[in-house]
Amino acid sequence: MRVKGKVKKSGSNLLINVAKPEELPPSLIFHSVSLPKALGEGDSLTIDVLAVFTHALRPFPEEITQADIQLVLFQDTAHYLSPYAVKVQSLTVKLPKARIETYTKLENTNIHGSDIKYGPYENLPPFSYAPIAVHFETNQPFAVAQELVREIEISHWGNVQVTEHYNVVHQGAKSKGEFSRLDFQARPHLRGASALRNLVAKLPPRAHSIYYRDEIGNISTSNVWGDPKKTELVIEPRYPLFGGWRTTFTIGYGLPLQDFLFGLEGKRFLNFSFGSPINDLITDNLIVKVVLPEGSNDISISTPFPVKQGQETKISHLDVAGRPVVVLEKTNVVPEHNQYFQVYYRFNKLSMLREPFMLISGFFILFVSCILYMHVDMSISKSSPSYLAKLQWDEVRATIQQVVSIINQCLSKHERLEASLHDLSRTGDVQACKTARKTADSLFKEYSKELKPLLSFLQSSPQATQILPKVEELVAKEKELQERLIAKHSTIVDCYEKKIGGRELENRVASHQQKVVALKQEVDDLLDYIEEI
Amino acid sequence: MAVTKTEPINGSTTKSSAPPSTSMPLKSDLLSILSLKSLRLKTKQQELLIRVSILCLVYVLAFITRLFSVLRYESMIHEFDPYFNYRTTLFLTQKGFYEFWNWFDSESWYPLGRIIGGTLYPGLMVTAAMMYWGLRFLRFAVHIREVCVLTAPFFASNTTLVAYFFGKEIWDTGAGLVAAVLIAICPGYISRSVAGSYDNEGVAIFALLLTFYLFVKAVNTGSLAWGLASAFGYFYMVSAWGGYVFIINLIPLYVLALLITGRYSMRLYVAYNCMYVLGMLLAMQIRFVGFQHVQSGEHMAAMGVFFLMQVFYFLDWVKHLLNDKKLFEAFLRITVTCAVGVGAIALGVGTASGYISPWSGRFYSLLDPTYAKDHIPIIASVSEHQPTAWSSFMFDFHILLFLFPAGLYFCFKRLSDATIFIVMYGLTSMYFAGVMVRLILVATPAVCLISAIAVSATIKNLTMLLRTKSKVSQTGSTKGTGGGKTSSKAMLDQSQPFQRNGAIALLFGAFYLLSRYAIHCTWVTSEAYSSPSIVLAARGAHGNRVIFDDYREAYYWLRQNTPPDAKVMSWWDYGYQITAMGNRTVIVDNNTWNNTHIATVGRAMSSYEDEAYEIMRSLDVDYVLVVFGGVTGYSSDDINKFLWMVRIGGGVFPVIKEPDYLVNGEYRVDKVCSPPRV
């Protein structure tokens, strides 16, 4: 039997230590308590000792069927086991249910409902011992987490992620025979009364992103209620746990950072509860891991009770060196251990930006390499005919592009001319029209000069033989269009100078106009065709 | 969802009409023409931009439409086979490649065991493991399960890209875009590639289409590089799925068709030889295929065509040397007879001596749909091996079923090497889809591509009509102000007055059909194909969601509360799941390689308790898992499958006679100490 002691006094807790006095029997474990001040002669002091014993109840019979109730045996001494002489003492055994199979009857034994009272006994010598055994019914499941790993991960982006891996066993009377789910669902209180149906976890308020799963996936039987004081999570295992059955599962939840992380003299500290949030669960072996952000240093821990400490590193998303992890281990943890512990560390806020920066630079490099790939000539042989042909074709294309752009400029000049005619009809300013004509003429000359070398290049290039006739046609048509337009322009200007108006002007222009429109259409079509290539 | 879905379709259908119509000058205002002119310079770039953005949208769409199952349920592996794949992938990532390659699995087929490395197609697992290692290398701490769950959607997205390039190769960019959109949401493909459906097919369809695309590209260009690429595509396909047999038979068939129609060319010679020789050598590296590739009957067609190509080449050469036509014809006759004779003798000798193995049962059952029913009950017992009903064609293809013949028409109208290929692919795969339900999957890409040709060609013609219309009317209007002269186009315009309206109506009709298709696909995906089949969900009386998670409950109980070396007997459907989720040894599983063993289990299941107990003792069974769905009304339980157990058991052990069970129809289910299921 394992023993765990803990001392509490209203107002102040006293220091307790495991002591090993030499002259006393070695089969017992002693705890020594240091008093706040020496107790003088005649003084008195009241001490409350709270001791929690795990694994103290033994199921008897050890194996039951689904229909049986669970009976357990409790053994202890009716006299308080103490190295000191005891003046008056009494013992009350409080049982969960009134149904008691048997109990040891000593002198002065009373029973009230579900309470059995031994004593009071007076003037007992040190180490007086009166064994008692109580055999009673309890259908409370004996949920024991054989191992529990709690991982508390701090993210300075505002989240504390808690992940808890449970390995739970029902340590009540072992189930024997077969399990009938039909009976279990039809008469749950008679068939499988001692089964572990659900566990209730009291999570801190504002817990979010709660999940409950195991190795093979999400477990759908869970419920969450939240209020400002707490978040209550009710989880059912995949199957009801009968005596001796085991299961494993994981629960996880996120918590707001500001509720648990505080600053103190340039250091930060996490203030978090130690034990499992699940009610009525004892933990044989608890491991608490606090994962600090990458780059934390100067780590120290303060716990309200002694624990085994260690350190490791964990590599998570976008980590290079790994995150420092504080590991705390403790055996035999009961709900009374749910006290706050603190982890102090130093962390530079700037290193938060490292990970986004890594992502940004990663994408940047990706795009840059794409750009490079598009622009780098990757061909192996620089003299192969296909490569040369490709080069020539590129050149031809570039030339055609130039030709097309020049033609387009010409076309825009044509529009300028048309616009000047439009202005003329509105304002009658012949001079402005003439200057527009003059600039257009000089520009057209320039363009034709520019076109010449390009065309001669195309004529010389073997790659351009297919496209060449179209380009030449385009240039010729454009030239024709240009001439027509100029002819039209000069006619109109002439007419304005000679003050010929109305019908006469229209008659003169009509033929030009028709040609211009038709040519424009043709040039447009040719441009379309050439641009398709 | 439907809104986001119709968007890309919308984009693609209007795509061919949108840029030109914006670039057409609508007003004769000079300034506006000026600005449009400057825009017009970039028409090409605009088109590129629109195309790329549509492709990106389709890429994303193909991925997210497959995430219904994750949203509805969770990120989990579905069905039966994927659990095996997941388990092997897990093994691969934990133990490394060589351990995986030499893995002898004693947890299945007890007491025989199974050589996993030599009896699976490792492509899927290696792909997932590569992605996992790649992400790990980039410092993304993902779980292997997430990688496995999202492998199929990821490859579905890639398939849309391949479909685009394929469509571009056989028709034009418009058809490519439409094909990408169609295949992204086609239910026939989604059924096998939702998130969590971590099965060979998810990767294999990508590999299949890629191989075909690269081969067609090689035939079109005659480039050795493309041929090489298609050989590697083929290698990937062989490593991923047993369906590679389809490729290695379709391509020779296609080549043969080209030879017969007189389309033999140097391009074809280069493409086929490169693809076949290299592809064969690469395929033989996969242990599961090995020497089968040169020995089994299924692969002989490819080899025959390979030799035929050499004969053709030789004849070409001789023709080049001999100028005398008569002499050549005589020579041709002799050579052809000799070649055919030698081929036939080689095949006969090979078959007789046992060097060439005969066709396997599955292959037979494809060619003759009634074969499996009569001879191999284990193939016939799988629901996805049943012949396809019309309704499921309609369900999986919807409008594509009608567009498919239209697309064939367009293909025949513009016959080329590439369109011949897609026509042959479409027709053969449609036949196979009719034979087996699961092969709808293979037909889906072909159907999508051919339908895309139909859609694209129709819409292109219609919009062309509209475009010339608007152009003519526009020039006509400018002429009306100028002189009022009519061109020849305008004459044509007046001859068919309702053409324009008709075109608009037809466009709307096409748009309506496509949007119906999108809606149908979304509905099918969300309702029919996104259930993991391990977890069942139903609506309760008050409209709340009820989840039945009984399978995992049982598997997890086995995992936690039985001794690690316990042997579990169940019908073979559950074998993979028990090994993966329950982590226990099973007697038979979904890799139905040993019919006798399965028959033994079938016999045990269908015998009386005392006999069954003896059989189970001899198999060293500790637990029996049976599924009973009577309480929740779950229909595919073991009682439903019982007749197949009887049939398969009776196929090997004549003690079991099917009529015995049919007459009284009542039987008991044995139980050693399994947790009875509700």
Side-chain angles (χ1 to χ4, degrees):
Chain A
M1 187 183 292
R2 282 173 273 179
V3 180
K4 190 72 227 158
K6 209 167 136 266
V7 179
K8 235 181 199 167
K9 195 194 162 201
S10 59
S12 70
N13 282 350
L14 303 179
L15 195 69
I16 56 169
N17 282 313
V18 177
K20 279 194 183 129
E22 270 159 26
E23 67 275 20
L24 297 173
S27 58
L28 298 174
I29 299 169
F30 292 88
H31 294 265
S32 74
V33 179
S34 328
L35 301 183
K37 59 175 196 257
L39 206 61
E41 209 177 315
D43 289 353
S44 74
L45 181 69
T46 311
I47 302 174
D48 290 335
V49 179
L50 173 73
V52 181
F53 297 87
T54 62
H55 304 277
L57 298 175
R58 196 155 59 81
F60 189 85
E62 283 184 347
E63 288 191 336
I64 55 172
T65 65
Q66 190 184 351
D68 294 339
I69 51 166
Q70 178 175 265
L71 298 170
V72 292
L73 194 64
F74 172 66
Q75 288 171 310
D76 201 359
T77 160
H79 297 166
Y80 185 60
L81 200 57
S82 157
Y84 305 107
V86 177
K87 273 217 159 141
V88 181
Q89 81 113 64
S90 65
L91 170 73
T92 310
V93 182
K94 291 188 173 173
L95 302 176
K97 258 190 177 177
R99 206 193 132 189
I100 300 162
E101 203 84 343
T102 58
Y103 63 96
T104 315
K105 289 195 180 76
L106 301 176
E107 52 172 326
N108 245 344
T109 307
N110 299 313
I111 180 157
H112 299 285
S114 62
D115 292 0
I116 305 169
K117 194 171 178 194
Y118 292 97
Y121 306 111
E122 288 179 4
N123 291 330
L124 298 173
F127 298 114
S128 67
Y129 185 71
I132 54 160
V134 184
H135 193 207
F136 61 97
E137 174 192 338
T138 175
N139 281 326
Q140 273 190 341
F142 287 51
V144 176
Q146 289 189 320
E147 189 174 73
L148 166 59
V149 180
R150 302 186 77 202
E151 195 176 276
I152 300 154
E153 185 163 353
I154 299 168
S155 158
H156 276 266
W157 294 96
N159 192 34
V160 178
Q161 180 67 35
V162 185
T163 316
E164 297 170 353
H165 304 276
Y166 289 88
N167 184 352
V168 174
V169 183
H170 184 309
Q171 282 192 337
K174 289 206 166 33
S175 164
K176 74 174 176 198
E178 66 189 31
F179 159 59
S180 162
R181 170 54 85 104
L182 196 62
D183 286 346
F184 180 74
Q185 284 200 328
R187 284 168 290 171
H189 296 291
L190 296 176
R191 306 287 166 146
S194 64
L196 172 63
R197 280 152 222 276
N198 57 28
L199 293 164
V200 180
K202 281 213 172 58
L203 307 181
R206 298 207 278 156
H208 60 88
S209 329
I210 300 168
Y211 66 83
Y212 169 43
R213 55 172 298 131
D214 59 24
E215 286 138 296
I216 61 170
N218 176 53
I219 308 171
S220 53
T221 45
S222 59
N223 268 311
V224 178
W225 290 276
D227 59 40
K229 286 195 187 122
K230 63 171 191 303
T231 310
E232 196 171 78
L233 172 69
V234 178
I235 53 180
E236 277 181 50
R238 282 195 188 273
Y239 39 85
L241 280 186
F242 279 80
W245 289 12
R246 60 177 65 242
T247 190
T248 61
F249 58 86
T250 303
I251 59 176
Y253 45 94
L255 297 167
L257 185 72
Q258 69 269 23
D259 292 4
F260 299 94
L261 194 76
F262 308 96
L264 184 74
E265 297 160 8
K267 273 186 139 184
R268 294 153 202 275
F269 73 94
L270 174 84
N271 191 32
F272 212 81
S273 74
F274 186 76
S276 151
I278 294 184
N279 302 341
D280 305 327
L281 183 76
I282 55 175
T283 312
D284 284 351
N285 195 6
L286 174 66
I287 301 171
V288 178
K289 294 181 178 178
V290 181
V291 184
L292 301 172
E294 196 176 16
S296 313
N297 51 21
D298 198 4
I299 302 162
S300 60
I301 302 147
S302 116
T303 51
F305 36 78
V307 295
K308 206 173 126 191
Q309 295 182 4
Q311 276 219 10
E312 54 186 47
T313 51
K314 179 192 172 185
I315 292 191
S316 185
H317 291 296
L318 298 173
D319 283 348
V320 178
R323 310 182 181 193
V325 180
V326 175
V327 184
L328 307 174
E329 274 183 73
K330 182 159 176 59
T331 53
N332 261 326
V333 181
V334 291
E336 279 76 8
H337 281 118
N338 264 354
Q339 298 173 35
Y340 285 94
F341 70 101
Q342 290 79 33
V343 178
Y344 297 86
Y345 63 97
R346 282 184 199 282
F347 178 73
N348 188 356
K349 273 245 170 190
L350 269 180
S351 41
M352 264 168 75
L353 294 175
R354 211 173 44 88
E355 291 178 2
F357 180 73
M358 270 169 72
L359 278 181
I360 291 167
S361 52
F363 276 99
F364 182 73
I365 288 169
L366 182 76
F367 288 129
V368 165
S369 56
C370 278
I371 291 170
L372 279 183
Y373 175 76
M374 293 304 283
H375 285 83
V376 167
D377 188 356
M378 300 277 269
S379 61
I380 300 167
S381 151
K382 305 280 182 208
S383 58
S384 75
S386 67
Y387 179 73
L388 291 177
K390 194 176 153 267
L391 278 189
Q392 275 180 354
W393 177 238
D394 281 348
E395 241 172 289
V396 167
R397 267 174 59 175
T399 325
I400 289 174
Q401 205 98 89
Q402 281 174 350
V403 172
V404 167
S405 76
I406 288 172
I407 300 283
N408 274 323
Q409 278 171 356
C410 281
L411 288 178
S412 70
K413 285 286 135 6
H414 294 172
E415 268 144 24
R416 192 76 59 76
L417 273 181
E418 294 265 20
S420 73
L421 283 180
H422 201 72
D423 284 347
L424 182 67
S425 70
R426 268 196 302 127
T427 58
D429 188 354
V430 179
Q431 215 52 44
C433 204
K434 271 188 174 167
T435 51
R437 163 78 188 279
K438 222 168 248 168
T439 51
D441 273 351
S442 61
L443 276 173
F444 285 147
K445 246 172 225 158
E446 232 168 78
Y447 287 149
S448 61
K449 229 182 253 168
E450 277 178 37
L451 269 178
K452 237 170 225 159
L454 297 176
L455 279 179
S456 62
F457 169 77
L458 283 182
Q459 274 155 1
S460 67
S461 167
Q463 289 285 322
T465 43
Q466 284 201 327
I467 188 81
L468 187 63
K470 286 282 173 190
V471 176
E472 277 176 340
E473 197 187 341
L474 174 70
V475 173
K477 291 273 183 209
E478 201 278 331
K479 195 135 232 167
E480 207 182 332
L481 173 65
Q482 198 174 309
E483 278 160 11
R484 283 284 168 183
L485 199 68
I486 284 166
K488 176 186 158 195
H489 194 267
S490 43
T491 332
I492 294 180
V493 172
D494 236 32
C495 287
Y496 265 91
E497 274 185 334
K498 291 175 186 160
K499 303 278 191 278
I500 302 169
R503 193 141 293 280
E504 177 70 25
L505 179 100
E506 244 171 54
N507 279 343
R508 285 196 191 179
V509 174
S511 64
H512 291 307
Q513 183 64 33
Q514 275 174 24
K515 260 281 155 60
V516 164
V517 169
L519 279 172
K520 208 170 219 169
Q521 185 62 40
E522 277 176 49
V523 168
D524 277 354
D525 284 349
L526 278 172
L527 273 177
D528 270 354
Y529 179 83
I530 288 171
E531 274 176 15
E532 291 274 293
I533 290 161
Chain B
M1 219 39 230
V3 178
T4 57
K5 198 133 292 186
T6 48
E7 195 177 40
I9 281 206
N10 194 352
S12 71
T13 47
T14 53
K15 173 245 126 207
S16 45
S17 61
S21 70
T22 51
S23 60
M24 275 310 294
L26 297 170
K27 291 180 202 163
S28 53
D29 189 38
L30 290 170
L31 277 173
S32 84
I33 288 178
L34 244 178
S35 66
L36 280 172
K37 276 272 150 49
S38 59
L39 260 181
R40 194 175 176 152
L41 273 179
K42 296 178 212 148
T43 309
K44 196 106 199 194
Q45 285 146 314
Q46 272 181 0
E47 202 230 339
L48 185 74
L49 183 70
I50 289 173
R51 206 164 42 180
V52 169
S53 51
I54 288 176
L55 272 181
C56 288
L57 277 178
V58 171
Y59 195 86
V60 174
L61 171 76
F63 194 83
I64 58 172
T65 192
R66 285 166 170 78
L67 296 183
F68 267 114
S69 58
V70 172
L71 295 181
R72 289 269 165 83
Y73 296 91
E74 57 180 286
S75 161
M76 69 184 288
I77 308 286
H78 293 188
E79 308 247 331
F80 303 103
D81 286 16
Y83 268 97
F84 169 74
N85 299 330
Y86 175 57
R87 179 168 158 246
T88 45
T89 313
L90 208 62
F91 187 90
L92 174 61
T93 51
Q94 283 165 357
K95 303 267 173 77
F97 188 73
Y98 286 102
E99 280 280 312
F100 171 71
W101 205 233
N102 298 318
W103 183 15
F104 178 79
D105 179 25
S106 56
E107 283 204 357
S108 54
W109 292 95
Y110 183 85
L112 309 172
R114 176 180 171 192
I115 307 157
I116 299 268
T119 57
L120 54 46
Y121 294 101
L124 177 72
M125 298 91 194
V126 173
T127 309
M130 291 284 206
M131 289 198 284
Y132 174 70
W133 286 325
L135 287 171
R136 283 266 154 174
F137 176 74
L138 293 175
R139 297 291 185 188
F140 290 101
V142 291
H143 193 274
I144 180 69
R145 189 191 63 248
E146 311 290 345
V147 177
C148 291
V149 164
L150 296 180
T151 299
F154 174 65
F155 271 89
S157 293
N158 294 338
T159 309
T160 61
L161 287 189
V162 178
Y164 164 72
F165 285 112
F166 203 176
K168 193 176 158 191
E169 190 64 32
I170 54 177
W171 201 258
D172 57 12
T173 49
L177 279 180
V178 178
V181 178
L182 291 182
I183 205 165
I185 56 173
C186 185
Y189 184 26
I190 284 183
S191 67
R192 291 310 179 121
S193 61
V194 291
S197 172
Y198 178 57
D199 211 346
N200 291 334
E201 288 95 327
V203 174
I205 291 304
F206 166 76
L208 179 92
L209 208 57
L210 184 71
T211 312
F212 284 155
Y213 162 65
L214 292 172
F215 183 71
V216 167
K217 187 99 189 172
V219 171
N220 275 351
T221 57
S223 144
L224 210 55
W226 287 110
L228 186 72
S230 79
F232 276 102
Y234 177 64
F235 172 58
Y236 187 53
M237 176 70 189
V238 174
S239 76
W241 195 34
Y244 77 89
V245 177
F246 179 63
I247 296 186
I248 204 61
N249 282 297
L250 178 65
I251 285 182
L253 198 67
Y254 163 65
V255 172
L256 199 65
L258 286 190
L259 290 184
I260 289 170
T261 50
R263 283 171 173 269
Y264 169 78
S265 63
M266 211 48 211
R267 292 177 284 120
L268 186 67
Y269 183 82
V270 169
Y272 184 72
N273 284 344
C274 176
M275 190 262 162
Y276 178 68
V277 174
L278 277 169
M280 178 180 71
L281 290 176
L282 287 170
M284 283 165 75
Q285 309 309 310
I286 305 294
R287 267 175 75 193
F288 196 24
V289 177
F291 277 95
Q292 265 183 45
H293 209 285
V294 287
Q295 287 186 348
S296 91
E298 288 119 22
H299 303 83
M300 279 304 123
M303 192 181 271
V305 169
F306 173 69
F307 287 122
L308 199 63
M309 287 293 272
Q310 312 314 318
V311 172
F312 256 80
Y313 187 71
F314 176 66
L315 285 176
D316 238 28
W317 180 65
V318 171
K319 195 177 175 183
H320 176 71
L321 287 185
L322 289 177
N323 287 325
D324 190 353
K325 205 155 189 200
K326 232 175 201 159
L327 211 63
F328 175 71
E329 263 171 24
F331 183 76
L332 181 74
R333 219 167 296 135
I334 295 167
T335 339
V336 168
T337 348
C338 283
V340 171
V342 168
I345 289 169
L347 195 67
V349 169
T351 318
S353 64
Y355 179 77
I356 298 173
S357 62
W359 289 349
S360 70
R362 275 171 212 242
F363 200 71
Y364 261 125
S365 64
L366 275 183
L367 299 179
D368 175 12
T370 54
Y371 179 82
K373 211 167 195 174
D374 300 337
H375 297 92
I376 322 168
I378 201 148
I379 291 180
S381 78
V382 182
S383 65
E384 59 187 23
H385 289 170
Q386 305 300 321
T388 317
W390 273 110
S391 59
S392 60
F393 268 122
M394 193 59 205
F395 196 63
D396 278 355
F397 289 144
H398 201 239
I399 60 161
L400 303 187
L401 209 55
F402 308 111
L403 292 173
F404 179 67
L408 285 182
Y409 164 74
F410 280 108
C411 287
F412 274 113
K413 229 174 111 185
R414 203 175 95 181
L415 220 52
S416 68
D417 288 357
T419 48
I420 290 179
F421 182 82
I422 195 70
V423 165
M424 291 190 64
Y425 175 27
L427 290 179
T428 49
S429 62
M430 268 309 242
Y431 168 72
F432 290 131
V435 175
M436 260 193 206
V437 177
R438 71 188 291 196
L439 292 182
I440 281 190
L441 179 71
V442 176
T444 304
V447 171
C448 285
L449 278 165
I450 292 177
S451 309
I453 288 173
V455 171
S456 165
T458 315
I459 288 179
K460 198 162 195 178
N461 287 347
L462 292 176
T463 47
M464 209 100 105
L465 218 60
L466 283 182
R467 268 186 74 187
T468 51
K469 271 303 132 63
S470 55
K471 219 173 197 175
V472 166
S473 64
Q474 205 259 326
T475 47
S477 70
T478 48
K479 266 170 207 163
T481 56
K485 194 188 169 193
T486 50
S487 75
S488 60
K489 276 177 185 170
M491 291 279 239
L492 192 110
D493 177 28
Q494 282 164 357
S495 65
Q496 288 168 311
F498 297 116
Q499 211 175 19
R500 191 191 157 104
N501 293 339
I504 291 175
L506 281 174
L507 267 183
F508 271 106
F511 176 68
Y512 174 74
L513 272 181
L514 288 174
S515 48
R516 287 308 306 177
Y517 172 72
I519 291 166
H520 171 81
C521 290
T522 319
W523 177 78
V524 168
T525 312
S526 80
E527 294 297 319
Y529 288 143
S530 291
S531 164
S533 90
I534 303 245
V535 184
L536 309 162
R539 292 264 161 225
H542 309 291
N544 52 333
R545 199 147 165 263
V546 184
I547 289 178
F548 302 106
D549 204 358
D550 295 340
Y551 277 111
R552 286 197 293 185
E553 178 185 327
Y555 297 141
Y556 210 62
W557 186 87
L558 284 173
R559 188 189 185 106
Q560 294 291 334
N561 294 302
T562 57
D565 60 344
K567 285 100 197 164
V568 181
M569 186 175 100
S570 71
W571 191 232
W572 59 266
D573 301 24
Y574 311 110
Y576 279 163
Q577 293 179 350
I578 293 173
T579 38
M581 286 196 272
N583 198 17
R584 292 293 174 266
T585 308
V586 292
I587 307 297
V588 291
D589 66 23
N590 308 40
N591 176 266
T592 52
W593 65 274
N594 190 330
N595 195 24
T596 319
H597 214 52
I598 292 179
T600 315
V601 172
R603 185 183 174 188
M605 291 279 191
S606 49
S607 305
Y608 287 107
E609 280 169 0
D610 44 356
E611 292 169 34
Y613 187 73
E614 284 306 310
I615 298 169
M616 288 177 193
R617 292 304 302 173
S618 69
L619 284 174
D620 205 8
V621 172
D622 299 313
Y623 292 86
V624 178
L625 185 130
V626 290
V627 179
F628 174 64
V631 175
T632 49
Y634 175 58
S635 60
S636 38
D637 59 357
D638 276 356
I639 296 178
N640 196 12
K641 290 169 184 168
F642 185 70
L643 275 184
W644 285 112
M645 300 181 199
V646 172
R647 265 175 223 161
I648 291 170
V652 176
F653 303 103
V655 191
I656 312 285
K657 291 185 194 69
E658 197 178 330
D660 293 351
Y661 297 89
L662 290 177
V663 174
N664 47 35
E666 198 183 354
Y667 48 85
R668 342 175 73 87
V669 179
D670 312 70
K671 207 187 289 170
V672 175
C673 53
S674 78
R677 323 276 322 290
V678 178

